[in-house]
Amino acid sequence: MNKERTRVLIVDDEEIVRESLSGWLEKDGYTVETAEDGPTAVDKVNRATWSVMLIDMKMPGMDGLQVLDRVKQIQPNVTAVIMTAFATVDTAVSAMKLGAYDYLVKPFDPEELSMMMEKIVAQQALVRENVILRRALKREFRFRDLVSKSTAMQQVFNLARTAARSQSTILVLGESGTGKELMARAIHSESPRAGGPFVAVSCAALTESLLESELFGHERGSFTGAFQRHKGKFEAAQHGTLFLDEIGDIGPKLQADLLRVLEEKKIQRVGGTETLDVDVRIIAATNRDLAKAVADGSFREDLYYRLNVIPVVLPPLRERREDIPLLVDHLLEQLSVETERRIEGVSHEAMALLMNHAWPGNVRELRNVLERAVVVAAGSVIQATDLGLHKPDAAAPEESIATLESVERRHIAHVLEQTGGNVTQAARILDIDRVTLYNKIKKYHLRETETA
Amino acid sequence: MAAIYLWWIGADAADRDLLEQVRQQVGRTFEAPAVLWDDPSRPTGTYDTRRGQHSSTQILRWLAAHQPPGAMKTLAITDVDLFIPVLTFVYGEAQLGGRAAVVSMARLGDGTARVSPAMVSARLVKEAVHELGHTFGLTHCGSERCVMTRSVNMAGVDRKAAVLCADCRTVYRDRLLEGYDQ
């Protein structure tokens, strides 16, 4: 308990009440101030943070309930206690509905007051402890803006941290909405290049010729509309990181150009003759199966191996459902700031719905759902109806009737696929030893499946 | 060092033996001269007819304005029941870091044989030292045995000793250096 940290504001129109009550609480070690009416109290709440407010119910002008209402809008976390000599169930209920912690019927026993204050101090200490623990937990479970406590993602974070320190090219793989760009930004900011620029280019958004000009720049007059010299993204990312999103969508010419840059670390602007040295670290990302694209000839094998020096595979949200509560908490914190709405969390029913959704759009979809919910929610807690998600059909998506063994089989097959059949790496990701993994591969006939 | 004055302002006649016990313990605890002040003046306008009690805050106001000449601190002792407006009763009240304090005997015994006069006097001594402690800037102590622990019932009063704990004694001596005995 830390009473000195507990700042108490007493709001009462009677001077003798303010004087005697503040004297009583000061002797207990609390830091106390007083206000003689509602407007003065609101002004003090606007100017400083209070832990506890003792508010008289009956005051001229603004009464206690009106003060409470205003105060809760300014400082929702303040613990407010209503003091009333006119105790009725109605006023007590009204005060509690407005967020009062408790009410005291004047005159109250010294014991009642001291016990209540001690309870408040203890509760606030717990809240503070909880905030500190949650922050510590978040620090433990995050890699910059990526939040996860799942074993698979923690291993991805560890790999990404190690990769960040190297100069190697990194290929970030994962479905849409899994946070590939966030991962690239996190790697950049943890790398020795953090002081340099991070430049992101979406390779799917432009035609091949425009993308070429965008990446390498162009000289004046090199093509119709090129009125002046334009520096490309490679130059813009000098001494930093160039993030090439949706790399799987680039055409054969650009694939060749990119391969040359990666090997020679030199570029030429479109229409130019000058060769420029570039010191840029490439992080590429795609949601496409590049190995398959190589197999069918649509993506150069040499470029694939040049990009895929360190593959970082982001699992889809449906495979790390334990992260959903953590992500909801994190995203609501962000959205509360962005929308200037105070959202405390989601109801149990809403959380159950979020946990059961398939999330084909991954974390991005979750963010969009929550953003909508924050806008439409009537109160400070998001209800299931605010989410705009349908309850899982009782007649059964496959997920809900899958056996534990079938889920395990699919998951192991997926991890093996991601590691290119590397059992040691897969065992590390799955957090089991190699012998156990070999036994499961045998049990589920996964080698036969692969070779079939 | 100036003296601490003890002033009987009760409705009935003073119990001199009782006041003498308080005087001796106050002198010992605060290592200062403590004297009994005989003055028939009594605070007026402190009685609340609706509650049938006296406002301790009003008494302190009166006492602050009627300090005996040369008094470092003045403790008023009374047999009337005291209250502050929001509380049902108080055993006493003091100006934190000020000059005036008041303590009441009204609730220190319940009038039965279970509570002996010796027990009442022991309780009064503790509450007198406690309230005077506040005038030296001491706040409530977390130690259950220290005289500066807050007591909201008789059991609490009986549990504590009549002396300052080591921590409060240190704070008290610091307060003297800060001029709380002026």
Side-chain angles (χ1 to χ4, degrees), chain A residues 405-446:
Chain A
E405 283 200 344
S406 71
V407 171
E408 188 180 57
R409 183 188 186 282
R410 262 188 295 160
H411 186 55
I412 292 172
H414 173 75
V415 174
L416 283 168
E417 194 186 333
Q418 295 295 333
T419 59
N422 184 327
V423 176
T424 307
Q425 208 181 336
R428 201 166 53 238
I429 291 171
L430 292 165
D431 201 22
I432 55 177
D433 59 58
R434 284 193 314 148
V435 176
T436 309
L437 182 55
Y438 273 120
N439 287 337
K440 286 182 188 291
I441 289 169
K442 199 173 162 190
K443 176 183 170 187
Y444 296 133
H445 310 290
L446 288 171

Side-chain angles (χ1 to χ4, degrees), chain B residues 5 30 43 56 73 79 82 103 109 119 129 138 153 166 181:
Chain B
Y5 280 65
F30 296 107
S56 57
K73 310 283 179 192
D79 51 2
L82 302 178
V103 68
M119 185 167 260
V129 172
L138 298 179
N153 53 37
D181 56 345

Side-chain angles (χ1 to χ4, degrees), chain A residues 8-22:
Chain A
V8 184
L9 181 62
I10 298 164
V11 191
D12 200 305
D13 57 319
E14 284 184 74
E15 188 194 351
I16 195 158
V17 173
R18 296 195 302 272
E19 186 187 340
S20 57
L21 196 52
S22 63

